[in-house]
Amino acid sequence: MRRGAVALVLIGVITLLSLAGAGALIYYAHSDGGFAVEPDYYAQALKWDEKSRQRERSAQLGWRARIASAPSGSRVGAVRLELRLVDSAESAVTGALVTAEVFANARASERSELRFAEVESGVYVADFVPGGPGSWHVRLRAERGTELFLDERDVLLGGPAD
């Protein structure tokens, strides 16, 4: 083979390797679940004032939520979230419809909707299978009659206590 032909083959191989590497990077960038945009963010922005008033009314209720997590016996890898809901006098808030949107901070595009069941006075539980350990964002919503309580917090799942 002549020197010119070797140089052309070498340039072709380098070009193909570069294109293959770029293709792999594009694939992994688009298949990563870590990137997420808040669902309906524009509609939420338009309703910001209303949401702010809801948070103020929620704070005026004086309700507080305490969340604990433990392994669940329902399924392998499942976690049980236990929510204790109390009012300003530390009395249990009973009879509430409690739901939550839960997602890992590292995988915000993968969200779970939970419905809590009241297992005793003011104690609500929900089981779910997290995608892995780490910091999970929990958006709580508790409704009882005309009362609405909203709360957001991060919960560590999959640690030594779980």
Side-chain angles (χ1 to χ4, degrees):
M1 214 177 206
R2 295 188 318 229
R3 279 179 52 184
V6 171
L8 284 176
V9 169
L10 187 59
I11 289 171
V13 168
I14 290 171
T15 302
L16 287 175
L17 287 174
S18 295
L19 290 173
L25 289 174
I26 289 170
Y27 169 76
Y28 287 117
H30 285 279
S31 63
D32 179 23
F35 174 78
V37 174
E38 186 69 28
D40 298 324
Y41 69 92
Y42 185 72
Q44 289 183 38
L46 292 175
K47 296 178 183 178
W48 189 89
D49 290 333
E50 178 185 332
K51 190 85 164 180
S52 180
R53 283 190 296 277
Q54 283 179 340
R55 283 192 296 267
E56 286 175 19
R57 286 192 301 270
S58 180
Q60 290 171 355
L61 277 176
W63 293 7
R64 288 191 313 280
R66 296 181 186 114
I67 300 176
S69 64
S72 172
S74 65
R75 293 182 289 196
V76 175
V79 170
R80 171 163 285 192
L81 291 181
E82 180 181 283
L83 168 69
R84 292 187 180 274
L85 200 54
V86 297
D87 62 16
S88 58
E90 292 294 318
S91 299
V93 175
T94 60
L97 172 64
V98 181
T99 58
E101 178 184 38
V102 181
F103 56 91
N105 287 333
R107 298 273 184 232
S109 63
E110 301 168 10
R111 296 170 184 241
S112 296
E113 295 290 329
L114 304 179
R115 182 175 295 269
F116 286 74
E118 189 171 11
V119 293
E120 61 182 80
S121 182
V123 179
Y124 302 83
V125 298
D127 293 347
F128 83 109
V129 179
S135 181
W136 286 71
H137 194 72
V138 179
R139 290 183 178 156
L140 288 171
R141 180 182 181 92
E143 296 177 73
R144 185 177 69 177
T146 60
E147 299 168 310
L148 172 63
F149 173 71
L150 303 173
D151 188 44
E152 290 191 37
R153 64 184 62 203
D154 288 327
V155 176
L156 188 61
L157 298 179
D162 287 343

